[in-house]
Amino acid sequence: MKYDFKQIEKKWQEKWEAAGAFHAQDFSEKPKFYALVEFPYPSGAGMHVGHIKAYIGLEVVSRKRRMEGYNVLFPIGFDAFGLPTENYAVKTGIHPRKVTDANIKKFTQQLQRVGFSLDWSRVIDTTDEAYYKWTQWIFLKMLDHGLVFRDKALVNYCPSCKVVLSNEDSQGGKCDICHSDVVQKSKDVWYLRITEYADKLLEGLEEVDYLPNVKQQQINWIGRSTGAFVDFSITDIEEKLTVYTTRPDTLFGVTFMVMAPEHPVIDAHRNQISNMEEIVAYRAECAKKTEFERTQLNKDKTGVRIQGLSAVNPVNGKEIPIYISDYVMMGYGTGAIMAVPAHDQRDYDFAKKFGIEIIEVIQGGDISKEAYTGDGEMINSGFLNGYTNKKDSIKEAIAQLEKMGKGKAGVQYKMKDWAFNRQRYWGEPIPVIHCDKCGIVGVPYEELPLRLPEMENFAPGTEGESPLAKIASFVNCTCPKCGGKARRETDTMPQWAGSSWYFLRYMDPHNDTCLADPKKLAYWSPVDWYNGGMEHVTRHMIYSRFWHRFLYDIGVVPTKEPYAKRTAQGLILGPDGDKMSKSKGNVVDPNDVVDEYGADVLRLYVLFMGDYEKAAPWSEKSVKGCKRFLERTVGLMDLVQGRGVTPALESSFHKTVKKVTSDIEEMKFNTAIAAMMALINEIYDAGTLTVDEMKTFASLLCPFAPHISEEIWEQCGEKDLLSLSAWPTFDEAKTIDDTIEIAVQVCGKLRATIQIPREADQSAVLAAAKADSKVQAALEGKTIVKEIYVPSKIVNIVAK
RNA sequence: GCCGGAAUGGCGGAAUAGGUAGACGCCUUGGACUUAAAAUCCAAUGCGACGAAAGUCGCGUACCGGUUCGAUUCCGGUUUCCGGCACCA
């Protein structure tokens, strides 16, 4: 038999398609299995091999599960709204719709050439109005439930892209898209109240099976901390200054307070402040710095004392100064802190610079050198003196504060509300109308989808306005409530919107009366296994978990959590060991590999190159090794004779079936393939195998290299598709050898290996070990002190 | 700085409820086939020393130390690298 991969791969892809082999059945009698991979953004560059790696893991699992009798849903779609396409449209004048369609076509063709067992009847496209109708619907539901609000805020603004960016999109002070410097700008911003779901998102993690580091990253992202809100009175004014602290027990060590420069208390009491000019100047200085600069310059503390206002420590009545400094953020806690320089390094640095008193309240460090943040006995602390346990002292401090009416226990999160608008064309229009009389009014549900209007110039307006603002017919409308003249919102939703619920749409992709039929949602939910990149485990996963939990709360979806299990694949690095990127020119195109070696070789190599969860560099040489393996597999056909079992191979077959079966479930694809390679080497040594063994081998190989496996299956006389046939089984008893090899050590050093019957007892094994000539040589002239036998593993004889 | 994860031959990587380190593949070397090359097949292949050879001995899982009959695996410390968060009070 010849290995003509081009002809074989085309043949089987057509047969699978004609048979609808991979279409999921709604409401089948079989157990369901929903495998989800992160749908791609269809960029103009097409897919690279990293995409293949991201999908191939669950592709193998899905193919195996189908053979095991599951009703498998393994869908794909396209997350097609987004800036790169729009930027391309601005540059070339080609409509994003056309660009998107062309890119989707290219991605589809690439995916199909690799032979993925995806259900192509359920493809979704987030830019399809039949899809984004429901994205808008969910937004309106959130608006109805008070989870949407609008606020003027300093936002991250990219002067080059002319868009407002979320904190997540502007990390490191650089725009995620064009990498130019981000500046601060005051804007009206739409927010989703994700912070209201912080505890639910945290609790939900307890019931899901995510990789431990994925869970940990989400916990850190949400950033829950417990502590207390403490009220400080301010001299001569009524208002109190409330701070948040995780260590209320250090209150006796408070020697000053710090507010964020923009704190509203300052403006409210400007008349009492004698150095307002100095404060205004400092504010101007801070505004010039981007958030990135603010956080980078964390060594050198700057600030200004507010002259005319001072605070009173609620536990000891001491009057203390108040400063403003940009090391305190308006966006976390209350925008003001109580400073405990003896036990917080930032406060310590500030106190040293401004010559403020430092009072030690926890023993154990040397506060002449640095702040002490460890544990120890409380001192100089009135009613808290003598406490040595942090938990107890905090508890006592809160109890006392509550008694005095000066404070209460509280919780804070690092996670912020989700800025949910972009001034861009290629996104879902936010379905909201501004009415002078009625305020913000949602577009009526029956008017959805609110379509993206046609236009020709996609360049954003100046000052970060959306291109949609230029279309009068879109902007001008009537208020659905009062019927008066009104203006339509012109901002669109961020890239993350469409991907926050796409996994639900796959369950019922063509429904036009609801986002998905509740019966189908009930059948398929939740996603059994979700695989994707580590870069998406915080933003995308937390956003989508938030949307899903909201939909659960309003009775739309049947489960609290969308994803039962989450894994992540490692990157494929370029042949040079660097991250693949267009600019470095080290990108490997899957089409090139398929052309030269075939889809089965590509699939096998991506799985074999290393631990699936770790990064590994591409190696063309090693690709050839996988090709050899498939050629040797084809070559087995020449050795086939007879039926039944080849005695010399029987145990090896059972062992390999066992190993491949369990390795796939653990995503240890590399060792599964290694086991099949080892088996094939054994078969060549034996020089013969039966048709039945050949078929078993093809079945095992099918999830990895399905085209050649189907071909072999057919050549063995089978009429039905191997992809829909049964997964091989093994007999545990036949994986156990009668004769086992035991290593014999003398004083911990390996001296010999002996063959013994499995059931041999300890004395027989030790006798055999001592009878070995090499062991005897090592024991020569020594007396045996101790003999250790670990059944079926090792003998160690200790001698002096 | 904080939170995760990792470090094993020339290379990608196997093996951890403590038990023969280096499976499988790549590279390399020798041989077979061939007019020749490619492909294929067979053999060798952690490092070092001795030996004509069969072989023998020693050293080896980032580094230092510990527990143990026995440590890549467990414990303490150090270094380096990768990922995430970062003035979060």
Side-chain angles (χ1 to χ4, degrees):
Chain A
M1 180 179 152
K2 198 176 149 257
Y3 183 31
D4 179 355
F5 63 82
K6 287 206 163 129
Q7 178 262 322
I8 289 171
E9 289 174 1
K10 187 162 177 279
K11 168 180 166 186
W12 290 102
Q13 283 168 15
E14 282 167 4
K15 287 206 181 210
W16 294 329
E17 179 60 31
F22 308 125
H23 289 183
Q25 306 298 311
D26 295 324
F27 316 118
S28 153
E29 287 300 302
K30 297 174 178 176
K32 69 100 183 174
F33 179 70
Y34 182 179
L36 181 69
V37 292
E38 286 170 350
F39 63 163
Y41 174 73
S43 68
M47 288 201 301
H48 58 82
V49 286
H51 286 100
I52 305 300
K53 186 171 179 187
Y55 310 146
I56 196 75
L58 287 185
E59 153 77 357
V60 171
V61 174
S62 293
R63 281 187 174 269
K64 172 176 174 256
R65 289 289 170 90
R66 251 180 235 109
M67 293 171 78
E68 288 175 326
Y70 284 83
N71 178 30
V72 173
L73 172 55
F74 185 43
I76 194 74
F78 299 94
D79 187 15
F81 275 132
L83 272 179
T85 302
E86 178 161 344
N87 289 341
Y88 183 79
V90 170
K91 221 180 346 180
T92 62
I94 304 171
H95 195 283
R97 174 78 268 149
K98 276 192 180 155
V99 178
T100 298
D101 287 343
N103 291 348
I104 286 179
K105 209 174 153 195
K106 179 165 187 186
F107 270 62
T108 302
Q109 176 263 355
Q110 284 179 306
L111 284 165
Q112 286 176 336
R113 286 196 71 191
V114 181
F116 282 108
S117 65
L118 294 160
D119 183 347
W120 289 102
S121 71
R122 292 178 188 247
V123 174
I124 57 176
D125 167 3
T126 55
T127 66
D128 183 344
E129 63 181 51
Y131 180 87
Y132 72 68
K133 171 180 179 178
W134 300 106
T135 312
Q136 292 171 329
W137 183 89
I138 297 168
F139 178 88
L140 284 179
K141 283 287 174 192
M142 288 189 154
L143 183 68
D144 289 349
H145 286 81
L147 289 173
V148 178
F149 67 99
R150 198 163 155 80
D151 196 11
K152 249 201 183 1
L154 276 181
V155 294
N156 304 303
Y157 178 72
C158 173
S160 166
C161 297
K162 298 192 169 86
V163 284
V164 174
L165 298 164
S166 67
N167 287 335
E168 301 88 81
D169 290 331
S170 57
Q171 286 180 6
K174 302 277 181 195
C175 170
D176 227 23
I177 293 106
C178 72
H179 304 288
S180 32
D181 285 340
V182 170
V183 299
Q184 300 299 301
K185 192 179 162 93
S186 179
K187 269 230 113 189
D188 277 325
V189 176
W190 289 97
Y191 286 100
L192 296 189
R193 248 185 250 283
I194 189 170
T195 51
E196 199 154 289
Y197 273 73
D199 278 329
K200 285 179 177 178
L201 291 171
L202 225 37
E203 282 157 21
L205 288 174
E206 284 162 25
E207 63 177 66
V208 293
D209 175 21
Y210 294 176
L211 288 178
N213 54 336
V214 170
K215 250 186 214 188
Q216 195 55 51
Q217 273 194 35
Q218 295 199 6
I219 290 167
N220 292 347
W221 185 267
I222 295 166
R224 184 180 204 268
S225 81
T226 57
F229 290 101
V230 184
D231 299 329
F232 285 69
S233 50
I234 305 176
T235 50
D236 303 330
I237 60 178
E238 283 292 298
E239 205 169 328
K240 287 188 169 88
L241 186 55
T242 302
V243 301
Y244 174 72
T245 176
T246 55
R247 292 300 300 269
D249 54 337
T250 60
L251 254 169
F252 288 91
V254 173
T255 53
F256 61 103
M257 301 190 75
V258 188
M259 290 192 277
E262 62 270 35
H263 200 287
V265 163
I266 298 166
D267 297 291
H269 302 283
R270 54 190 318 141
N271 295 336
Q272 280 106 310
I273 299 171
S274 58
N275 62 335
M276 200 60 205
E277 274 169 41
E278 206 185 339
I279 285 168
V280 170
Y282 182 74
R283 280 180 167 176
E285 208 180 295
C286 295
K288 266 192 266 171
K289 298 183 199 170
T290 63
E291 188 154 349
F292 180 64
E293 283 168 330
R294 268 175 86 155
T295 57
Q296 278 309 294
L297 297 168
N298 58 16
K299 289 268 154 61
D300 192 26
K301 296 279 180 291
T302 60
V304 175
R305 177 163 179 184
I306 302 174
Q307 305 288 350
L309 295 181
S310 51
V312 178
N313 189 329
V315 289
N316 58 16
K318 271 196 199 170
E319 203 170 303
I320 52 175
I322 306 174
Y323 290 80
I324 56 168
S325 174
D326 62 359
Y327 84 88
V328 173
M329 307 290 155
M330 201 55 226
Y332 183 79
T334 62
I337 62 158
M338 56 179 231
V340 186
H343 305 291
D344 181 291
Q345 192 57 44
R346 294 155 299 166
D347 298 345
Y348 186 90
D349 294 342
F350 193 89
K352 279 281 175 195
K353 179 152 180 184
F354 287 84
I356 308 166
E357 191 188 4
I358 298 171
I359 301 174
E360 184 178 38
V361 292
I362 301 167
Q363 268 184 332
D366 178 2
I367 61 154
S368 67
K369 290 202 186 97
E370 59 181 3
Y372 176 66
T373 53
D375 296 332
E377 191 182 331
M378 305 286 310
I379 53 167
N380 304 326
S381 290
F383 59 85
L384 292 168
N385 278 336
Y387 276 93
T388 52
N389 183 303
K390 198 159 84 175
K391 264 188 189 162
D392 294 338
S393 56
I394 290 172
K395 208 171 154 192
E396 176 62 17
I398 292 173
Q400 290 292 333
L401 282 168
E402 281 175 350
K403 215 191 267 174
M404 290 186 276
K406 299 279 192 179
K408 57 175 198 268
V411 175
Q412 282 292 300
Y413 304 91
K414 287 186 191 175
M415 185 170 67
K416 294 180 180 130
D417 282 320
W418 178 6
F420 198 73
N421 55 317
R422 301 296 125 99
Q423 291 68 34
R424 281 291 184 157
Y425 175 74
W426 198 230
E428 302 89 343
I430 292 178
V432 158
I433 288 161
H434 300 269
C435 171
D436 289 337
K437 256 196 240 158
C438 312
I440 287 160
V441 183
V443 167
Y445 287 94
E446 57 274 15
E447 287 178 23
L448 297 182
L450 172 60
R451 287 186 185 82
L452 208 45
E454 284 302 320
M455 64 186 303
E456 270 164 27
N457 179 9
F458 310 104
T462 49
E463 300 307 305
E465 272 194 346
S466 166
L468 295 180
K470 292 184 276 192
I471 307 173
S473 60
F474 179 78
V475 175
N476 299 321
C477 61
T478 52
C479 173
K481 250 191 199 163
C482 68
K485 268 194 185 170
R487 283 162 297 107
R488 213 178 267 291
E489 171 63 47
T490 56
D491 283 359
T492 53
M493 297 187 195
Q495 168 106 61
W496 308 103
S499 59
S500 290
W501 71 282
Y502 74 111
F503 49 91
L504 296 173
R505 189 65 175 172
Y506 285 139
M507 302 183 201
D508 190 12
H510 309 296
N511 198 317
D512 58 5
T513 58
C514 57
L515 65 82
D517 180 347
K519 285 199 207 88
K520 291 181 185 175
L521 289 171
Y523 175 74
W524 286 114
S525 291
V527 171
D528 293 288
W529 193 338
Y530 190 16
N531 185 74
M534 278 309 290
E535 68 272 24
H536 290 132
V537 305
T538 45
R539 312 187 226 179
H540 159 64
M541 277 191 83
I542 289 184
Y543 292 156
S544 60
R545 288 182 55 222
F546 163 46
W547 278 37
H548 190 268
R549 184 57 199 261
F550 165 70
L551 292 172
Y552 171 80
D553 288 347
I554 63 168
V556 174
V557 299
T559 60
K560 282 186 184 172
E561 285 293 324
Y563 319 120
K565 173 174 179 165
R566 166 76 185 201
T567 54
Q569 79 283 349
L571 291 174
I572 296 184
L573 305 173
D576 51 6
D578 286 333
K579 221 176 188 171
M580 276 193 192
S581 78
K582 237 202 289 183
S583 58
K584 282 193 194 123
N586 60 354
V587 176
V588 178
D589 183 338
N591 273 353
D592 294 343
V593 184
V594 173
D595 285 341
E596 192 169 349
Y597 300 98
D600 282 338
V601 171
L602 169 65
R603 296 167 61 109
L604 213 47
Y605 174 64
V606 167
L607 291 160
F608 184 62
M609 61 195 295
D611 186 333
Y612 187 70
E613 289 175 14
K614 292 206 191 107
W618 185 266
S619 160
E620 172 115 19
K621 286 256 173 70
S622 296
V623 175
K624 286 181 186 158
C626 290
K627 176 137 198 247
R628 264 178 221 145
F629 167 60
L630 288 186
E631 280 165 350
R632 276 162 71 76
T633 304
V634 169
L636 287 179
M637 291 298 282
D638 298 333
L639 306 180
V640 170
Q641 21 176 306
R643 304 202 67 92
V645 173
T646 307
L649 296 172
E650 185 177 20
S651 166
S652 295
F653 261 96
H654 283 274
K655 282 181 193 162
T656 308
V657 172
K658 181 181 178 179
K659 174 133 187 82
V660 173
T661 301
S662 60
D663 277 359
I664 289 176
E665 292 305 317
E666 291 163 50
M667 294 194 130
K668 288 161 78 177
F669 307 115
N670 52 341
T671 51
I673 293 167
M676 289 187 279
M677 286 173 167
L679 177 59
I680 218 171
N681 291 343
E682 264 193 71
I683 297 171
Y684 272 97
D685 287 345
T688 180
L689 83 166
T690 68
V691 183
D692 300 303
E693 286 165 338
M694 188 74 239
K695 278 159 56 185
T696 299
F697 194 87
S699 303
L700 279 185
L701 186 60
C702 186
F704 303 87
H707 309 87
I708 187 63
S709 303
E710 287 276 13
E711 183 69 19
I712 290 170
W713 184 255
E714 187 185 61
Q715 303 258 332
C716 286
E718 292 292 331
K719 295 275 184 289
D720 297 327
L721 287 174
L722 170 59
S723 297
L724 303 177
S725 301
W727 183 250
T729 54
F730 63 93
D731 180 350
E732 184 71 42
K734 290 189 173 142
T735 64
I736 298 163
D737 297 316
D738 296 334
T739 303
I740 52 173
E741 198 181 57
I742 297 283
V744 183
Q745 296 180 335
V746 177
C747 298
K749 280 189 180 161
L750 182 72
R751 294 299 172 185
T753 55
I754 55 171
Q755 304 289 327
I756 56 152
R758 159 159 293 279
E759 63 278 3
D761 64 8
Q762 174 159 346
S763 57
V765 175
L766 285 173
K770 280 183 274 189
D772 187 276
S773 61
K774 284 176 192 160
V775 175
Q776 281 179 354
L779 288 171
E780 181 90 35
K782 292 179 177 169
T783 37
I784 294 169
V785 185
K786 198 172 181 185
E787 292 169 340
I788 294 145
Y789 172 56
V790 181
S792 60
K793 282 193 175 150
I794 203 163
V795 169
N796 190 9
I797 300 168
V798 187
K800 264 190 200 168

